[in-house]
Amino acid sequence: MLKKLNKFLYSSIIISVIMFIIGLIFMIYPDISFKTITYILSIVLIINGLYFVIEKESSIFFSNFLTLGVVEILLGIIMLVNPDIVKTIFPIVVGIIMIAKSSLDLRLSILLHNNNYSSWLSIFICSLISIVCGLIIIINPNLGTIALTTSLGIIIMLFAISNIVDTLLFKKDIKEIKIENILAKIMM
């Protein structure tokens, strides 16, 4: 179980690093071709979706990985076929993904608090920051392209840093945490 959890945590860190790099590109080069970024994101979504579909049986969340994998593959294909749709949908999709992932982290932090683990507050705060960032993206998707890409880049970078910090904090305490108890509560 610990090996599966570590695999999931490393995957989370890798995705966060990729999101940080994309956010940095958006921030530094706001006028960069949105289609180029769309093609890169669609390929990443398809690859990640395929990984989740293939690994569904050995994952710690089982069917949730299958569902997430299928959704990511479909989004990736739609983005490849019609890259202009991303200007409208991309901010909303990113916001939803950020809120969903951060909500799981928020739940995990509360479970850690209930089990008296020291790093729960940092994970809780990072999760709240990530949820607020996701809401900002969803509420303001129609900003100008340059303003959107710059602010979107900053918000994605904040999300990525927050996700990396809370994953590393969780990983640091993983040896003292009773994994089976926490996972059983998460999967309820």
Side-chain angles (χ1 to χ4, degrees):
M1 184 62 86
L2 187 60
K3 185 177 179 182
K4 291 178 188 177
L5 184 60
N6 277 326
K7 191 175 184 181
F8 175 74
L9 293 175
Y10 288 130
S11 171
S12 179
I13 291 172
I14 289 169
I15 291 169
S16 295
V17 168
I18 291 170
M19 296 226 11
F20 181 85
I21 292 168
I22 290 170
L24 189 63
I25 291 170
F26 276 20
M27 192 179 81
I28 294 173
Y29 304 107
D31 55 342
I32 194 169
S33 170
F34 216 79
K35 285 185 180 182
T36 304
I37 296 297
T38 302
Y39 289 132
I40 293 169
L41 279 173
S42 63
I43 291 168
V44 168
L45 279 172
I46 291 170
I47 291 170
N48 198 49
L50 288 172
Y51 169 77
F52 282 154
V53 168
I54 292 168
E55 290 291 323
K56 73 177 180 347
E57 297 300 324
S58 64
S59 72
I60 59 174
F61 297 112
F62 304 104
S63 64
N64 290 344
F65 269 16
L66 178 61
T67 304
L68 183 60
V70 170
V71 168
E72 285 189 0
I73 291 170
L74 290 175
L75 281 173
I77 291 171
I78 290 169
M79 289 167 61
L80 274 175
V81 173
N82 188 1
D84 290 331
I85 200 167
V86 174
K87 289 180 182 177
T88 306
I89 295 176
F90 178 70
I92 295 169
V93 170
V94 168
I96 291 170
I97 291 170
M98 289 169 62
I99 290 171
K101 184 351 183 150
S102 300
S103 296
L104 287 173
D105 291 343
L106 187 67
R107 185 172 178 197
L108 176 66
S109 71
I110 292 169
L111 290 172
L112 290 174
H113 172 67
N114 292 341
N115 288 293
N116 299 319
Y117 292 106
S118 61
S119 63
W120 77 272
L121 185 59
S122 300
I123 296 171
F124 183 82
I125 291 170
C126 289
S127 300
L128 286 178
I129 291 170
S130 296
I131 289 171
V132 169
C133 290
L135 287 171
I136 290 171
I137 290 174
I138 291 172
I139 291 169
N140 295 316
N142 294 325
L143 299 172
T145 304
I146 292 175
L148 174 64
T149 53
T150 302
S151 60
L152 187 59
I154 293 168
I155 290 172
I156 290 172
M157 288 171 57
L158 285 172
F159 166 73
I161 291 168
S162 170
N163 192 45
I164 291 169
V165 168
D166 69 11
T167 302
L168 291 175
L169 286 172
F170 180 69
K171 184 154 178 53
K172 179 184 77 106
D173 293 336
I174 203 166
K175 291 178 184 169
E176 66 183 68
I177 296 173
K178 295 178 183 168
I179 300 299
E180 289 76 22
N181 294 343
I182 300 295
L183 290 177
K185 290 179 182 177
I186 290 174
M187 294 183 351
M188 287 182 170

